[in-house]
Amino acid sequence: SKKPFIQWVLTIIHPYDRSRRMFDMTTVIWVLLLVFFIPLEIGFDWYETVTWQKVLFTALDIWFALDIMLNFRTGYINHGTVVMGPKKIASNYLSTWFLVDLLGTLPFELMISAQVSSRKSLKLAKYFKIPKLLRISRVMKYVRNHQYVYDFSKVLILIFTSMHIGACAWVMLLDPCNEEKSNYAGADVCAQSNVYHIYAEALHISASMMLGVSNLHIIGKSGMLNLDFEGRHEDNTKVFLISTLFMMIGLFLIALLISEANVYVMGKMQGSAAFQRKTDRVNHEMEYYGVPDDLQRQVRAFY
C-alpha cells in the first residue's frame, strides 16, 4: 500500500523505492532543462526570460531543496550492502554530494537581482546561475545506477553538453546583437522570436568546430553570426584561437566516444559468445546423458 507523502518523507526511504526512483527520474529531466536554459540566458545577452520560465525556475529551486532533504532520508548502497541508518546516511551525504547539491540549489541570481537595478548589473546577475550547472552531477548519479551503459552515456552527455555550451559561447563571442559594434545584425535578427534560429546556427557552428571543420565556415557565408574582420584584428585572433580550442576538445571527445563505443560493443560480443558457449555445453551434456526431449526443451527455455 502507498504511504502518505509526509509519512514517506519522514521515514527512511529504501534506495530502490519505486517512488524515490520516479522522483530521481523527474529530477534528471529538470536538470537537463536547467543545463539547456542557463547557458542560453548567459550567451544570448538580449534574451529575456518569459514568465513561465521564471515560475518554472522558482519551482525547480523548491524541488531541488526537497531533493536535498530526501537525500538525508534515503538509504545508500555500500559495497553491496544497503545502509539505512539515519546517522550513517547523513554522514555519507555530507561527505559526498551535499556541497555540490547545495551550491546548485541556492538562488544566487535572485539575491543579486534584489540588490541591483541597473540593466548592466541585472545582466551580470545571470552569471550567478552558473553554480546551478553543478546539478548535472545528479544526472551522473542517476546514470551510474545503470553501470552497463554508464561510461558510454557519460561521454554522450559530455559531448552534447559541450556542443550546447559551445554554441552559447560562440554567440557571446560574436555578440551579433550589440548595437555598439559594427557587426550588429539588426533589429529583425535580434528579435526575441529569432533567438532559437540564431541558436540553431550557433549549434551548427559548435558541432562543426568540434568535428574539426575549418572556422572559415563561420566567417564565410554565415546568415546571422557574421563578423566583418576588416580592421578588427583582435576579434579575428580571438575567433581563430577559440575555434582551435574547440577542435582540440572535439578531437578528444570523439576519440573518447569511439573508445567507449568499442568497449561497449566488445563487451556485448564477449558476453554473447560466452552465453553461446554455455548453451552449447548444456546441449552437448543433455544429448550425452540422453535427457528426454521434453525436458531438454524446458532447459533451453530456461536459458
Side-chain angles (χ1 to χ4, degrees), residues 34-47 127 133 160-176 195-196 198-207 225 242 246:
L34 286 179
V35 171
F36 176 78
F37 280 112
I38 290 176
L40 190 74
E41 287 186 20
I42 295 173
F44 290 71
D45 193 37
W46 69 98
Y47 177 70
Y127 290 94
L133 294 178
F160 285 110
T161 302
S162 299
M163 284 175 54
H164 172 61
I165 294 177
C168 298
W170 271 118
V171 174
M172 182 186 296
L173 171 66
L174 302 183
D175 200 11
V195 165
Y196 291 104
I198 298 178
Y199 170 75
E201 185 171 338
L203 186 66
H204 176 70
I205 291 172
S206 178
L225 302 180
I242 293 181
F246 267 56

Side-chain angles (χ1 to χ4, degrees), residues 170 205-218 239-255:
W170 271 118
I205 291 172
S206 178
S208 299
M209 290 296 95
M210 293 182 70
L211 290 173
V213 178
S214 171
N215 56 12
L216 291 177
H217 166 78
I218 299 174
V239 168
F240 277 99
L241 288 175
I242 293 181
S243 63
T244 302
L245 178 62
F246 267 56
M247 290 180 183
M248 294 174 64
I249 293 174
L251 179 64
F252 171 76
L253 291 177
I254 296 301

Side-chain angles (χ1 to χ4, degrees), residues 65-77:
L66 177 61
D67 180 52
I68 290 177
M69 290 188 289
L70 287 178
N71 285 333
F72 280 106
R73 307 300 296 172
T74 303
Y76 65 96
I77 309 297

